[in-house]
Coordinates of all heavy atoms in Angstrom, one line a residue:
T1109 N -62.1 -32.2 -44.0 CA -63.3 -31.3 -43.8 C -64.1 -31.8 -42.6 O -64.3 -33.0 -42.4 CB -64.2 -31.4 -45.1 OG1 -63.4 -31.1 -46.2 CG2 -65.4 -30.5 -45.0
I1110 N -64.5 -30.9 -41.8 CA -65.2 -31.2 -40.5 C -66.6 -30.7 -40.6 O -66.9 -29.5 -40.8 CB -64.5 -30.5 -39.3 CG1 -63.0 -30.9 -39.3 CG2 -65.2 -30.8 -38.0 CD1 -62.2 -30.0 -38.5
Y1111 N -67.6 -31.7 -40.5 CA -69.0 -31.4 -40.6 C -69.6 -31.5 -39.2 O -69.2 -32.3 -38.4 CB -69.7 -32.3 -41.6 CG -69.4 -32.0 -43.0 CD1 -68.4 -32.6 -43.7 CD2 -70.2 -31.1 -43.7 CE1 -68.1 -32.4 -45.0 CE2 -69.9 -30.8 -45.1 CZ -68.9 -31.4 -45.7 OH -68.7 -31.2 -47.0
P1112 N -70.8 -30.9 -39.0 CA -71.5 -31.2 -37.8 C -72.1 -32.6 -37.8 O -72.2 -33.2 -38.9 CB -72.7 -30.2 -37.8 CG -72.3 -29.1 -38.8 CD -71.4 -29.8 -39.8
V1113 N -72.4 -33.1 -36.6 CA -72.9 -34.4 -36.5 C -74.3 -34.5 -37.1 O -74.7 -35.5 -37.8 CB -73.0 -34.9 -35.0 CG1 -73.6 -36.2 -34.9 CG2 -71.6 -34.8 -34.4
Q1114 N -75.1 -33.4 -37.0 CA -76.5 -33.4 -37.5 C -76.5 -33.0 -39.0 O -75.8 -32.1 -39.4 CB -77.3 -32.4 -36.8 CG -77.8 -32.9 -35.4 CD -76.7 -32.9 -34.4 OE1 -75.7 -32.2 -34.5 NE2 -76.8 -33.7 -33.4
C1115 N -77.3 -33.7 -39.8 CA -77.5 -33.3 -41.2 C -78.9 -32.8 -41.3 O -79.2 -32.2 -42.4 CB -77.2 -34.5 -42.1 SG -78.3 -35.9 -41.8
C1116 N -79.7 -33.0 -40.3 CA -81.1 -32.4 -40.3 C -81.2 -31.6 -39.0 O -80.6 -31.8 -38.0 CB -82.1 -33.5 -40.2 SG -82.1 -34.6 -41.6
C1117 N -82.1 -30.6 -39.0 CA -82.4 -29.8 -37.9 C -83.0 -30.7 -36.7 O -83.8 -31.5 -37.0 CB -83.4 -28.7 -38.2 SG -83.6 -27.5 -36.9
I1118 N -82.5 -30.4 -35.5 CA -83.1 -31.2 -34.3 C -83.8 -30.3 -33.4 O -84.2 -30.7 -32.3 CB -81.9 -31.9 -33.6 CG1 -80.8 -30.9 -33.1 CG2 -81.3 -33.0 -34.5 CD1 -79.8 -31.5 -32.2
N1119 N -84.1 -29.1 -33.8 CA -84.9 -28.2 -32.9 C -86.3 -28.7 -32.9 O -87.0 -28.8 -33.9 CB -84.8 -26.7 -33.5 CG -85.5 -25.7 -32.6 OD1 -86.2 -26.0 -31.7 ND2 -85.2 -24.4 -32.9
P1120 N -86.9 -29.0 -31.7 CA -88.2 -29.6 -31.6 C -89.3 -28.7 -32.1 O -90.4 -29.2 -32.4 CB -88.3 -30.0 -30.1 CG -87.3 -29.2 -29.4 CD -86.2 -28.9 -30.4
V1121 N -89.2 -27.4 -32.1 CA -90.2 -26.5 -32.6 C -90.1 -26.1 -34.0 O -90.8 -25.3 -34.5 CB -90.3 -25.3 -31.7 CG1 -90.6 -25.6 -30.3 CG2 -89.0 -24.5 -31.7
C1122 N -89.1 -26.7 -34.7 CA -88.9 -26.3 -36.1 C -89.7 -27.2 -37.1 O -89.8 -28.4 -36.9 CB -87.4 -26.5 -36.4 SG -86.9 -26.1 -38.1
E1123 N -90.3 -26.6 -38.1 CA -91.0 -27.3 -39.1 C -90.1 -28.2 -39.9 O -90.5 -29.3 -40.3 CB -91.7 -26.2 -40.0 CG -92.6 -26.8 -41.1 CD -93.9 -27.2 -40.6 OE1 -94.3 -26.7 -39.5 OE2 -94.5 -28.1 -41.2
H1124 N -88.9 -27.8 -40.2 CA -88.0 -28.6 -41.0 C -87.6 -29.9 -40.2 O -87.4 -30.9 -40.7 CB -86.7 -27.8 -41.4 CG -87.0 -26.9 -42.5 ND1 -86.0 -26.1 -43.0 CD2 -88.1 -26.5 -43.1 CE1 -86.5 -25.3 -44.0 NE2 -87.8 -25.6 -44.0
A1125 N -87.5 -29.7 -38.9 CA -87.1 -30.9 -38.0 C -88.2 -31.9 -38.0 O -87.9 -33.1 -38.0 CB -86.8 -30.4 -36.6
M1126 N -89.4 -31.5 -38.0 CA -90.6 -32.4 -38.0 C -90.7 -33.2 -39.3 O -91.1 -34.3 -39.3 CB -91.9 -31.6 -37.7 CG -91.9 -31.0 -36.4 SD -93.5 -30.1 -36.2 CE -93.1 -29.2 -34.7
R1127 N -90.3 -32.5 -40.4 CA -90.3 -33.2 -41.7 C -89.0 -33.8 -42.1 O -88.8 -34.4 -43.2 CB -90.7 -32.2 -42.8 CG -92.2 -31.7 -42.6 CD -92.7 -30.9 -43.7 NE -92.0 -29.6 -43.8 CZ -92.0 -28.8 -44.8 NH1 -92.6 -29.2 -45.9 NH2 -91.3 -27.7 -44.8
Q1128 N -88.0 -33.8 -41.2 CA -86.6 -34.4 -41.4 C -86.0 -33.9 -42.7 O -85.4 -34.7 -43.4 CB -86.7 -35.9 -41.4 CG -87.1 -36.5 -40.1 CD -86.0 -36.3 -39.0 OE1 -84.9 -36.6 -39.3 NE2 -86.4 -35.8 -37.9
L1129 N -86.1 -32.6 -43.0 CA -85.4 -32.0 -44.1 C -84.0 -31.8 -43.9 O -83.6 -31.4 -42.8 CB -86.1 -30.7 -44.5 CG -87.6 -30.7 -44.9 CD1 -88.1 -29.3 -45.2 CD2 -87.8 -31.6 -46.2
L1130 N -83.1 -32.0 -44.9 CA -81.7 -31.8 -44.8 C -81.3 -30.3 -44.7 O -82.0 -29.5 -45.3 CB -81.0 -32.4 -46.0 CG -81.0 -34.0 -46.1 CD1 -80.4 -34.4 -47.4 CD2 -80.4 -34.6 -44.9
L1131 N -80.3 -30.1 -43.9 CA -79.8 -28.7 -43.8 C -78.9 -28.4 -45.1 O -78.0 -29.1 -45.3 CB -78.9 -28.6 -42.6 CG -79.6 -28.8 -41.2 CD1 -78.6 -28.9 -40.1 CD2 -80.6 -27.6 -41.0
K1132 N -79.3 -27.4 -45.8 CA -78.6 -27.2 -47.1 C -77.8 -26.0 -47.2 O -76.9 -25.9 -48.0 CB -79.7 -27.2 -48.2 CG -80.4 -28.5 -48.4 CD -81.3 -28.5 -49.6 CE -81.9 -29.8 -49.7 NZ -82.8 -29.9 -50.9
K1133 N -78.0 -25.0 -46.3 CA -77.2 -23.8 -46.3 C -76.0 -24.0 -45.5 O -76.1 -24.4 -44.3 CB -78.0 -22.6 -45.8 CG -77.3 -21.3 -45.9 CD -78.1 -20.1 -45.6 CE -77.3 -18.9 -45.8 NZ -78.1 -17.7 -45.4
E1134 N -74.8 -23.8 -46.1 CA -73.6 -24.1 -45.3 C -72.6 -22.9 -45.5 O -72.7 -22.1 -46.4 CB -72.9 -25.3 -45.8 CG -72.5 -25.3 -47.3 CD -71.8 -26.6 -47.7 OE1 -72.4 -27.7 -47.4 OE2 -70.8 -26.5 -48.4
Q1135 N -71.8 -22.8 -44.5 CA -70.7 -21.8 -44.5 C -69.4 -22.6 -44.2 O -69.4 -23.5 -43.4 CB -70.8 -20.8 -43.4 CG -71.9 -19.8 -43.6 CD -71.9 -18.8 -42.5 OE1 -71.8 -19.2 -41.3 NE2 -72.0 -17.5 -42.8
Q1136 N -68.3 -22.3 -44.9 CA -67.0 -22.9 -44.7 C -66.0 -21.9 -44.3 O -66.1 -20.8 -44.7 CB -66.5 -23.6 -46.1 CG -67.4 -24.6 -46.6 CD -66.9 -25.1 -48.0 OE1 -65.8 -24.7 -48.4 NE2 -67.8 -25.8 -48.7
R1137 N -65.1 -22.4 -43.4 CA -64.1 -21.5 -43.0 C -62.8 -22.4 -42.7 O -62.9 -23.6 -42.4 CB -64.4 -20.7 -41.7 CG -64.8 -21.6 -40.5 CD -64.9 -20.7 -39.3 NE -66.1 -19.9 -39.4 CZ -66.7 -19.4 -38.4 NH1 -66.2 -19.5 -37.2 NH2 -67.8 -18.6 -38.5
C1138 N -61.7 -21.8 -43.0 CA -60.4 -22.5 -42.8 C -60.2 -22.6 -41.3 O -60.5 -21.7 -40.5 CB -59.3 -21.7 -43.4 SG -57.8 -22.7 -43.6
A1139 N -59.7 -23.8 -40.8 CA -59.4 -24.0 -39.4 C -58.1 -24.8 -39.2 O -57.6 -25.3 -40.2 CB -60.6 -24.8 -38.8
V1140 N -57.6 -24.8 -38.0 CA -56.4 -25.6 -37.7 C -56.8 -26.6 -36.7 O -57.5 -26.3 -35.7 CB -55.3 -24.7 -37.1 CG1 -54.1 -25.5 -36.7 CG2 -54.9 -23.6 -38.0
V1141 N -56.4 -27.9 -37.0 CA -56.7 -29.0 -36.1 C -55.4 -29.4 -35.5 O -54.5 -29.8 -36.2 CB -57.4 -30.2 -36.8 CG1 -57.6 -31.3 -35.9 CG2 -58.7 -29.7 -37.5
F1142 N -55.3 -29.4 -34.1 CA -54.1 -29.9 -33.4 C -54.3 -31.3 -33.0 O -55.3 -31.7 -32.4 CB -53.9 -29.0 -32.2 CG -53.7 -27.6 -32.5 CD1 -54.7 -26.6 -32.5 CD2 -52.4 -27.1 -32.8 CE1 -54.5 -25.3 -32.8 CE2 -52.1 -25.8 -33.2 CZ -53.2 -24.9 -33.1
T1143 N -53.3 -32.2 -33.4 CA -53.4 -33.6 -33.2 C -52.1 -34.1 -32.5 O -51.1 -33.4 -32.5 CB -53.5 -34.4 -34.5 OG1 -52.3 -34.2 -35.3 CG2 -54.7 -33.9 -35.3
V1144 N -52.1 -35.3 -32.0 CA -50.9 -35.9 -31.4 C -50.0 -36.3 -32.4 O -48.8 -36.0 -32.4 CB -51.3 -37.1 -30.4 CG1 -50.1 -37.8 -29.9 CG2 -52.2 -36.6 -29.3
A1145 N -50.4 -37.1 -33.4 CA -49.5 -37.7 -34.4 C -49.1 -36.8 -35.5 O -47.9 -36.8 -35.9 CB -50.3 -38.9 -35.0
D1146 N -49.9 -35.9 -35.9 CA -49.6 -35.0 -37.1 C -49.3 -33.6 -36.8 O -49.1 -32.8 -37.7 CB -50.7 -35.1 -38.1 CG -51.0 -36.5 -38.6 OD1 -50.0 -37.3 -38.8 OD2 -52.1 -36.9 -38.8
G1147 N -49.4 -33.2 -35.5 CA -49.2 -31.8 -35.2 C -50.4 -30.9 -35.6 O -51.5 -31.3 -35.6
A1148 N -50.1 -29.7 -36.1 CA -51.1 -28.8 -36.5 C -51.4 -29.1 -38.0 O -50.5 -29.1 -38.8 CB -50.6 -27.4 -36.3
C1149 N -52.7 -29.3 -38.3 CA -53.1 -29.6 -39.7 C -54.2 -28.6 -40.1 O -55.1 -28.2 -39.3 CB -53.7 -31.0 -39.7 SG -52.6 -32.3 -39.2
L1150 N -54.1 -28.2 -41.4 CA -55.2 -27.3 -41.9 C -56.4 -28.1 -42.3 O -56.3 -29.3 -42.7 CB -54.7 -26.6 -43.1 CG -53.6 -25.5 -42.9 CD1 -53.2 -24.9 -44.2 CD2 -54.2 -24.4 -42.0
A1151 N -57.6 -27.5 -42.1 CA -58.8 -28.2 -42.4 C -59.9 -27.2 -42.7 O -59.7 -26.0 -42.5 CB -59.3 -29.1 -41.2
W1152 N -61.0 -27.7 -43.3 CA -62.2 -26.8 -43.5 C -63.2 -27.2 -42.5 O -63.6 -28.4 -42.4 CB -62.7 -27.0 -44.9 CG -61.9 -26.4 -46.0 CD1 -61.0 -27.0 -46.8 CD2 -61.8 -25.0 -46.3 NE1 -60.4 -26.1 -47.6 CE2 -60.9 -24.8 -47.3 CE3 -62.5 -23.9 -45.8 CZ2 -60.6 -23.6 -47.9 CZ3 -62.2 -22.7 -46.4 CH2 -61.3 -22.5 -47.4
S1153 N -63.7 -26.2 -41.8 CA -64.8 -26.4 -40.8 C -66.1 -25.9 -41.5 O -66.2 -24.8 -41.9 CB -64.5 -25.7 -39.5 OG -65.6 -25.8 -38.6
V1154 N -67.1 -26.8 -41.6 CA -68.4 -26.5 -42.2 C -69.4 -26.3 -41.2 O -69.6 -27.1 -40.3 CB -68.8 -27.6 -43.2 CG1 -70.1 -27.3 -43.8 CG2 -67.7 -27.7 -44.3
H1155 N -70.2 -25.2 -41.2 CA -71.3 -24.9 -40.4 C -72.6 -25.0 -41.2 O -72.7 -24.4 -42.2 CB -71.2 -23.5 -39.8 CG -69.9 -23.3 -39.1 ND1 -69.6 -23.5 -37.8 CD2 -68.7 -22.8 -39.6 CE1 -68.4 -23.2 -37.5 NE2 -67.8 -22.8 -38.6
L1156 N -73.6 -25.8 -40.7 CA -74.8 -25.9 -41.4 C -75.9 -25.0 -40.7 O -75.9 -24.9 -39.5 CB -75.3 -27.4 -41.4 CG -74.3 -28.4 -42.1 CD1 -74.9 -29.8 -42.0 CD2 -74.2 -28.0 -43.6
Y1157 N -76.8 -24.5 -41.5 CA -77.8 -23.5 -41.0 C -79.2 -23.9 -41.5 O -79.4 -24.3 -42.6 CB -77.4 -22.2 -41.7 CG -78.2 -21.0 -41.2 CD1 -78.1 -20.5 -40.0 CD2 -79.2 -20.5 -42.1 CE1 -78.9 -19.4 -39.6 CE2 -79.9 -19.4 -41.7 CZ -79.8 -18.9 -40.4 OH -80.6 -17.8 -40.0
C1158 N -80.1 -23.9 -40.5 CA -81.5 -24.2 -40.8 C -82.2 -22.8 -41.1 O -82.2 -21.9 -40.3 CB -82.2 -24.8 -39.6 SG -84.0 -25.2 -39.9
T1159 N -82.7 -22.7 -42.3 CA -83.4 -21.5 -42.7 C -84.7 -21.3 -42.1 O -85.2 -20.1 -42.0 CB -83.5 -21.5 -44.3 OG1 -84.3 -22.6 -44.7 CG2 -82.2 -21.5 -45.0
E1160 N -85.3 -22.3 -41.5 CA -86.6 -22.2 -40.9 C -86.5 -21.6 -39.5 O -87.2 -20.6 -39.2 CB -87.3 -23.6 -40.8 CG -88.7 -23.6 -40.2 CD -89.7 -22.9 -41.1 OE1 -89.6 -22.8 -42.3 OE2 -90.8 -22.5 -40.5
C1161 N -85.7 -22.2 -38.6 CA -85.7 -21.8 -37.2 C -84.4 -21.0 -36.9 O -84.2 -20.5 -35.8 CB -85.8 -23.0 -36.3 SG -84.3 -24.1 -36.4
K1162 N -83.6 -20.7 -37.9 CA -82.3 -19.9 -37.8 C -81.3 -20.5 -36.8 O -80.6 -19.8 -36.2 CB -82.7 -18.5 -37.4 CG -83.8 -17.8 -38.1 CD -83.4 -17.5 -39.5 CE -84.4 -16.7 -40.2 NZ -85.4 -17.3 -41.0
T1163 N -81.3 -21.9 -36.7 CA -80.3 -22.5 -35.9 C -79.0 -22.8 -36.7 O -79.1 -23.3 -37.8 CB -80.8 -23.9 -35.3 OG1 -82.0 -23.6 -34.6 CG2 -79.8 -24.5 -34.4
N1164 N -77.9 -22.5 -36.2 CA -76.6 -22.7 -36.8 C -75.9 -23.9 -36.1 O -75.7 -23.9 -34.9 CB -75.7 -21.4 -36.7 CG -74.6 -21.5 -37.6 OD1 -74.4 -22.4 -38.4 ND2 -73.8 -20.4 -37.6
Y1165 N -75.6 -25.0 -36.9 CA -75.0 -26.2 -36.4 C -73.5 -26.2 -36.6 O -73.1 -26.1 -37.8 CB -75.7 -27.4 -37.0 CG -77.1 -27.6 -36.5 CD1 -78.1 -27.0 -37.2 CD2 -77.4 -28.2 -35.3 CE1 -79.4 -27.2 -36.8 CE2 -78.7 -28.4 -34.9 CZ -79.7 -27.9 -35.6 OH -81.0 -28.0 -35.2
H1166 N -72.7 -26.4 -35.5 CA -71.3 -26.4 -35.6 C -70.8 -27.9 -35.3 O -71.7 -28.7 -35.1 CB -70.6 -25.5 -34.6 CG -71.0 -24.0 -34.9 ND1 -70.1 -23.2 -35.6 CD2 -72.0 -23.3 -34.6 CE1 -70.6 -22.0 -35.7 NE2 -71.8 -22.0 -35.1
N1167 N -69.5 -28.1 -35.2 CA -69.0 -29.4 -34.9 C -69.6 -30.1 -33.7 O -70.0 -31.2 -33.7 CB -67.5 -29.3 -34.9 CG -66.9 -30.7 -34.5 OD1 -67.2 -31.7 -35.1 ND2 -66.0 -30.6 -33.5
N1168 N -69.6 -29.4 -32.5 CA -70.0 -30.0 -31.3 C -71.0 -29.1 -30.5 O -71.3 -29.4 -29.4 CB -68.8 -30.3 -30.4 CG -68.0 -29.0 -30.1 OD1 -68.0 -28.0 -30.7 ND2 -67.2 -29.1 -29.0
Y1169 N -71.6 -28.2 -31.2 CA -72.7 -27.4 -30.6 C -73.6 -26.7 -31.6 O -73.2 -26.7 -32.8 CB -72.1 -26.3 -29.6 CG -71.3 -25.2 -30.3 CD1 -71.9 -24.0 -30.7 CD2 -69.9 -25.4 -30.6 CE1 -71.1 -23.1 -31.3 CE2 -69.2 -24.4 -31.2 CZ -69.8 -23.3 -31.6 OH -69.1 -22.3 -32.2
S1170 N -74.7 -26.2 -31.2 CA -75.6 -25.4 -32.1 C -75.9 -24.1 -31.4 O -75.8 -24.0 -30.2 CB -76.9 -26.2 -32.3 OG -77.6 -26.4 -31.1
V1171 N -76.3 -23.1 -32.2 CA -76.6 -21.8 -31.7 C -78.0 -21.4 -32.3 O -78.2 -21.4 -33.5 CB -75.6 -20.7 -32.1 CG1 -76.0 -19.3 -31.6 CG2 -74.2 -21.1 -31.7
C1172 N -78.9 -21.1 -31.4 CA -80.3 -20.7 -31.8 C -80.7 -19.5 -30.9 O -80.8 -19.7 -29.7 CB -81.2 -21.9 -31.7 SG -82.9 -21.4 -32.2
G1173 N -81.0 -18.4 -31.5 CA -81.4 -17.2 -30.7 C -80.4 -16.7 -29.7 O -80.7 -16.3 -28.7
G1174 N -79.1 -16.9 -30.0 CA -78.0 -16.5 -29.1 C -77.7 -17.4 -28.0 O -76.8 -17.2 -27.2
V1175 N -78.4 -18.6 -28.0 CA -78.2 -19.6 -27.0 C -77.3 -20.7 -27.6 O -77.7 -21.3 -28.6 CB -79.5 -20.2 -26.4 CG1 -79.2 -21.3 -25.4 CG2 -80.3 -19.1 -25.8
Q1176 N -76.2 -21.0 -27.0 CA -75.3 -22.0 -27.5 C -75.6 -23.3 -26.7 O -75.5 -23.3 -25.5 CB -73.8 -21.6 -27.3 CG -72.8 -22.5 -27.9 CD -71.4 -21.8 -27.8 OE1 -71.3 -20.6 -27.7 NE2 -70.4 -22.6 -28.0
T1177 N -75.9 -24.4 -27.4 CA -76.2 -25.7 -26.8 C -75.2 -26.7 -27.3 O -75.1 -27.0 -28.5 CB -77.6 -26.1 -27.1 OG1 -78.5 -25.1 -26.8 CG2 -78.0 -27.4 -26.4
Y1178 N -74.5 -27.4 -26.3 CA -73.5 -28.4 -26.7 C -74.3 -29.7 -26.8 O -75.2 -30.0 -26.1 CB -72.4 -28.5 -25.6 CG -71.5 -27.4 -25.7 CD1 -71.7 -26.2 -25.0 CD2 -70.4 -27.4 -26.6 CE1 -70.8 -25.1 -25.1 CE2 -69.5 -26.4 -26.7 CZ -69.7 -25.2 -26.0 OH -68.8 -24.2 -26.1
F1179 N -73.8 -30.6 -27.8 CA -74.4 -31.9 -27.9 C -73.8 -32.8 -26.8 O -72.8 -32.6 -26.2 CB -74.0 -32.5 -29.3 CG -74.4 -31.6 -30.5 CD1 -73.5 -31.3 -31.5 CD2 -75.6 -31.0 -30.5 CE1 -73.8 -30.5 -32.5 CE2 -76.0 -30.1 -31.5 CZ -75.1 -29.9 -32.6
G1180 N -74.5 -33.9 -26.5 CA -74.2 -34.8 -25.5 C -72.9 -35.6 -25.8 O -72.5 -35.8 -27.0
G1181 N -72.2 -36.0 -24.8 CA -71.0 -36.8 -24.9 C -69.8 -35.9 -25.2 O -69.8 -34.7 -25.3
V1182 N -68.6 -36.6 -25.3 CA -67.3 -35.9 -25.5 C -67.0 -36.1 -27.0 O -66.8 -37.3 -27.4 CB -66.2 -36.4 -24.6 CG1 -64.9 -35.7 -25.0 CG2 -66.6 -36.1 -23.2
P1183 N -66.9 -35.1 -27.8 CA -66.6 -35.3 -29.3 C -65.1 -35.6 -29.5 O -64.3 -35.4 -28.6 CB -67.0 -34.0 -29.9 CG -66.8 -33.0 -28.8 CD -67.2 -33.7 -27.5
D1184 N -64.8 -36.1 -30.7 CA -63.4 -36.4 -31.0 C -62.7 -35.1 -31.3 O -61.5 -35.1 -31.0 CB -63.4 -37.3 -32.3 CG -62.0 -37.8 -32.6 OD1 -61.3 -38.2 -31.7 OD2 -61.7 -37.8 -33.8
L1185 N -63.3 -34.1 -31.7 CA -62.7 -32.8 -31.9 C -63.5 -31.8 -31.1 O -64.7 -31.7 -31.1 CB -62.9 -32.4 -33.4 CG -61.9 -33.0 -34.4 CD1 -62.4 -32.7 -35.8 CD2 -60.5 -32.6 -34.2
I1186 N -62.7 -31.0 -30.3 CA -63.3 -29.9 -29.5 C -62.9 -28.6 -30.0 O -61.7 -28.3 -30.2 CB -62.9 -30.1 -28.0 CG1 -63.4 -31.4 -27.5 CG2 -63.4 -28.9 -27.2 CD1 -63.0 -31.7 -26.1
Q1187 N -63.9 -27.7 -30.3 CA -63.6 -26.4 -30.8 C -63.2 -25.5 -29.7 O -64.0 -25.3 -28.8 CB -64.8 -25.8 -31.6 CG -64.5 -24.5 -32.3 CD -65.6 -24.1 -33.2 OE1 -66.5 -24.9 -33.5 NE2 -65.5 -22.9 -33.7
V1188 N -62.0 -24.9 -29.7 CA -61.5 -24.1 -28.6 C -61.4 -22.6 -29.0 O -61.2 -21.8 -28.1 CB -60.2 -24.6 -28.1 CG1 -60.3 -26.0 -27.5 CG2 -59.1 -24.6 -29.2
G1189 N -61.6 -22.3 -30.2 CA -61.5 -21.0 -30.7 C -62.3 -20.9 -32.0 O -62.9 -21.8 -32.5
E1190 N -62.3 -19.7 -32.6 CA -63.1 -19.4 -33.8 C -62.6 -20.4 -34.9 O -63.5 -20.9 -35.7 CB -62.9 -18.0 -34.2 CG -63.8 -17.6 -35.4 CD -65.2 -17.2 -35.0 OE1 -65.4 -17.0 -33.8 OE2 -66.1 -17.2 -35.8
H1191 N -61.3 -20.6 -35.0 CA -60.8 -21.4 -36.1 C -59.8 -22.5 -35.6 O -59.0 -22.9 -36.4 CB -60.0 -20.5 -37.1 CG -60.8 -19.4 -37.6 ND1 -61.7 -19.5 -38.7 CD2 -60.9 -18.1 -37.3 CE1 -62.2 -18.4 -39.0 NE2 -61.8 -17.5 -38.1
Q1192 N -59.9 -22.9 -34.3 CA -59.0 -23.9 -33.8 C -59.8 -25.0 -33.2 O -60.7 -24.8 -32.4 CB -58.1 -23.2 -32.7 CG -57.3 -22.1 -33.1 CD -57.9 -20.8 -33.1 OE1 -58.9 -20.6 -32.5 NE2 -57.4 -19.8 -33.9
L1193 N -59.4 -26.2 -33.5 CA -60.0 -27.4 -33.0 C -58.9 -28.3 -32.5 O -57.8 -28.3 -33.0 CB -60.8 -28.2 -34.0 CG -62.1 -27.5 -34.5 CD1 -61.8 -26.8 -35.8 CD2 -63.2 -28.4 -34.6
I1194 N -59.1 -29.1 -31.4 CA -58.1 -30.0 -30.8 C -58.7 -31.4 -30.7 O -59.8 -31.5 -30.2 CB -57.7 -29.4 -29.4 CG1 -57.1 -28.0 -29.5 CG2 -56.6 -30.4 -28.8 CD1 -56.7 -27.4 -28.2
K1195 N -57.9 -32.3 -31.1 CA -58.3 -33.7 -30.9 C -58.4 -34.1 -29.4 O -57.5 -33.7 -28.7 CB -57.3 -34.7 -31.6 CG -57.4 -34.7 -33.1 CD -58.5 -35.7 -33.5 CE -58.2 -36.2 -34.9 NZ -59.1 -37.2 -35.3
T1196 N -59.3 -34.9 -29.0 CA -59.5 -35.3 -27.6 C -58.2 -36.0 -27.1 O -57.9 -35.9 -26.0 CB -60.7 -36.1 -27.5 OG1 -61.9 -35.4 -28.0 CG2 -61.0 -36.4 -26.0
A1197 N -57.6 -36.8 -28.0 CA -56.4 -37.5 -27.6 C -55.3 -36.6 -27.2 O -54.6 -36.9 -26.2 CB -55.9 -38.4 -28.8
L1198 N -55.1 -35.5 -27.8 CA -54.1 -34.5 -27.5 C -54.4 -33.9 -26.1 O -53.6 -33.7 -25.3 CB -54.0 -33.4 -28.5 CG -52.9 -32.3 -28.3 CD1 -51.6 -32.9 -28.1 CD2 -52.9 -31.3 -29.4
I1199 N -55.7 -33.5 -25.9 CA -56.1 -33.0 -24.6 C -55.9 -34.0 -23.5 O -55.4 -33.6 -22.4 CB -57.6 -32.6 -24.7 CG1 -57.8 -31.4 -25.6 CG2 -58.1 -32.2 -23.3 CD1 -59.2 -31.0 -25.9
N1200 N -56.2 -35.2 -23.7 CA -55.9 -36.3 -22.7 C -54.4 -36.4 -22.4 O -54.0 -36.6 -21.3 CB -56.5 -37.6 -23.2 CG -58.0 -37.6 -23.1 OD1 -58.6 -36.8 -22.4 ND2 -58.6 -38.5 -23.9
T1201 N -53.6 -36.2 -23.4 CA -52.1 -36.3 -23.2 C -51.7 -35.1 -22.4 O -50.9 -35.3 -21.4 CB -51.4 -36.2 -24.6 OG1 -51.8 -37.3 -25.4 CG2 -49.9 -36.2 -24.4
W1202 N -52.2 -33.9 -22.6 CA -51.9 -32.7 -21.8 C -52.4 -33.0 -20.3 O -51.6 -32.6 -19.4 CB -52.6 -31.5 -22.3 CG -52.1 -31.0 -23.6 CD1 -50.9 -31.3 -24.2 CD2 -52.8 -30.1 -24.5 NE1 -50.8 -30.6 -25.4 CE2 -51.9 -29.9 -25.6 CE3 -54.0 -29.5 -24.5 CZ2 -52.2 -29.1 -26.6 CZ3 -54.3 -28.7 -25.5 CH2 -53.5 -28.5 -26.6
V1203 N -53.5 -33.6 -20.1 CA -54.0 -33.9 -18.8 C -53.1 -34.8 -18.1 O -52.7 -34.6 -16.9 CB -55.4 -34.4 -18.8 CG1 -55.9 -34.9 -17.4 CG2 -56.4 -33.3 -19.3
D1204 N -52.6 -35.9 -18.8 CA -51.7 -36.9 -18.2 C -50.4 -36.2 -17.8 O -49.8 -36.5 -16.8 CB -51.4 -38.0 -19.2 CG -52.6 -38.9 -19.4 OD1 -53.6 -38.9 -18.5 OD2 -52.7 -39.6 -20.4
L1205 N -49.9 -35.3 -18.7 CA -48.6 -34.6 -18.4 C -48.7 -33.7 -17.2 O -47.8 -33.6 -16.4 CB -48.1 -33.9 -19.6 CG -47.7 -34.7 -20.8 CD1 -47.4 -33.9 -22.0 CD2 -46.4 -35.5 -20.4
M1206 N -49.9 -33.0 -17.1 CA -50.1 -32.2 -15.9 C -50.2 -33.0 -14.6 O -49.6 -32.5 -13.6 CB -51.4 -31.4 -16.1 CG -51.4 -30.4 -17.2 SD -50.5 -28.9 -16.7 CE -51.5 -28.2 -15.5
L1207 N -50.8 -34.1 -14.7 CA -51.0 -34.9 -13.5 C -49.6 -35.5 -13.0 O -49.3 -35.6 -11.9 CB -52.0 -36.0 -13.7 CG -53.5 -35.5 -13.8 CD1 -54.4 -36.7 -14.1 CD2 -53.9 -34.9 -12.5
T1208 N -48.8 -36.0 -14.0 CA -47.5 -36.6 -13.7 C -46.5 -35.5 -13.3 O -45.5 -35.8 -12.6 CB -47.0 -37.4 -14.8 OG1 -46.9 -36.6 -16.0 CG2 -47.9 -38.6 -15.1
A1209 N -46.7 -34.3 -13.7 CA -45.8 -33.2 -13.3 C -45.9 -32.9 -11.9 O -45.0 -32.3 -11.3 CB -46.1 -32.0 -14.2
W1210 N -47.0 -33.1 -11.2 CA -47.2 -32.8 -9.8 C -46.5 -33.8 -9.0 O -46.1 -33.6 -7.9 CB -48.7 -32.8 -9.5 CG -49.4 -31.7 -10.0 CD1 -49.8 -31.5 -11.3 CD2 -49.7 -30.5 -9.3 NE1 -50.4 -30.2 -11.5 CE2 -50.4 -29.6 -10.3 CE3 -49.6 -30.0 -8.0 CZ2 -50.8 -28.4 -9.9 CZ3 -50.1 -28.8 -7.7 CH2 -50.7 -27.9 -8.6

């Protein structure tokens, strides 16, 4: 199961963020995680939702008012499609193969 990094809203103008209330509304969807060691694996991707400011928190980004904001740093899992995530180690392997192929 893949959860967002945040368990509380981080929107600076949100009343729930100021009071550090936990995000309780969640949506689950089936996803595929591509890895180096195990290949394609089935997983559940959970999205948390703030009922106050209407921000939807995903694995490596949040959406508020139609604006998608990515969290800082490079996550271990990168969402590349609606239901597809790829481990960073696999992406690094692809980059290495592309560079050595030249």
Side-chain angles (χ1 to χ4, degrees):
T1109 305
I1110 303 159
Y1111 286 94
V1113 177
Q1114 282 73 24
C1115 60
C1116 298
C1117 185
I1118 58 171
N1119 188 343
V1121 297
C1122 179
E1123 184 76 23
H1124 286 184
M1126 293 177 193
R1127 294 189 289 165
Q1128 294 292 310
L1129 296 176
L1130 293 175
L1131 298 168
K1132 294 186 179 180
K1133 187 172 181 184
E1134 65 180 42
Q1135 289 181 315
Q1136 300 176 10
R1137 59 173 70 163
C1138 194
V1140 178
V1141 178
F1142 297 95
T1143 67
V1144 174
D1146 300 322
C1149 302
L1150 290 177
W1152 286 102
S1153 179
V1154 177
H1155 308 270
L1156 298 176
Y1157 182 73
C1158 179
T1159 55
E1160 179 71 21
C1161 67
K1162 312 291 190 265
T1163 302
N1164 195 2
Y1165 291 92
H1166 297 262
N1167 175 48
N1168 59 340
Y1169 65 93
S1170 65
V1171 179
C1172 181
V1175 177
Q1176 188 169 339
T1177 306
Y1178 286 90
F1179 305 134
V1182 178
D1184 187 42
L1185 285 170
I1186 297 176
Q1187 187 171 350
V1188 295
E1190 188 82 17
H1191 304 278
Q1192 300 86 18
L1193 294 100
I1194 301 177
K1195 287 274 208 175
T1196 308
L1198 179 59
I1199 294 172
N1200 290 336
T1201 301
W1202 291 341
V1203 171
D1204 290 343
L1205 291 172
M1206 291 285 290
L1207 292 173
T1208 56
W1210 286 78

